[in-house]
Amino acid sequence: MGSPAAGATRDPGLQPERTRLAWRRTTLTYTVVAVLAGRQVLRDEVTAAGVAAAVASALVWLAFLWVAHRRMTALDTPEPRALPTGAGVAAVVCVICLAAFGVTVL
């Protein structure tokens, strides 16, 4: 039960595919939340804070799409690397920002 030999190739099984699908679900959910936040801005009185929050939400959404796309692309390799710390931090910051913008438009 030791570690695999140095020359052995890793059989990742279905784990990269499950991770890729999880990133896609998260991206879809993030998109729905951003669209609902934008819809809320348009339904109520249009305020400068609401418009600023909607624009910031769209920019953060684009940043999250970039992080997710890079991760899904990295999972297409035969031996995917672990998620870099910077990408993980960027994803968390994007989600926290979206939650803050959502509170702003309420």
Side-chain angles (χ1 to χ4, degrees), residues 7 19 39 53 70 74 91 106:
T19 304
R39 182 175 174 242
R70 286 186 50 111
L106 290 179

Side-chain angles (χ1 to χ4, degrees), residues 10-90:
R10 177 177 168 265
D11 178 19
L14 293 176
Q15 189 224 351
E17 181 65 21
R18 287 191 308 265
T19 304
R20 189 178 305 107
L21 290 171
W23 273 99
R24 287 184 185 190
R25 283 190 307 268
T26 303
T27 302
L28 178 63
T29 303
Y30 199 106
T31 301
V32 169
V33 171
V35 167
L36 289 175
R39 182 175 174 242
Q40 184 70 25
V41 168
L42 296 175
R43 284 185 69 197
D44 293 339
E45 294 178 20
V46 178
T47 63
V51 171
V55 169
S57 176
L59 292 175
V60 171
W61 172 74
L62 288 172
F64 186 80
L65 283 181
W66 180 74
V67 170
H69 175 72
R70 286 186 50 111
R71 183 59 187 157
M72 287 187 276
T73 302
L75 290 170
D76 286 339
T77 61
E79 293 187 25
R81 297 180 345 196
L83 179 68
T85 304
V89 169

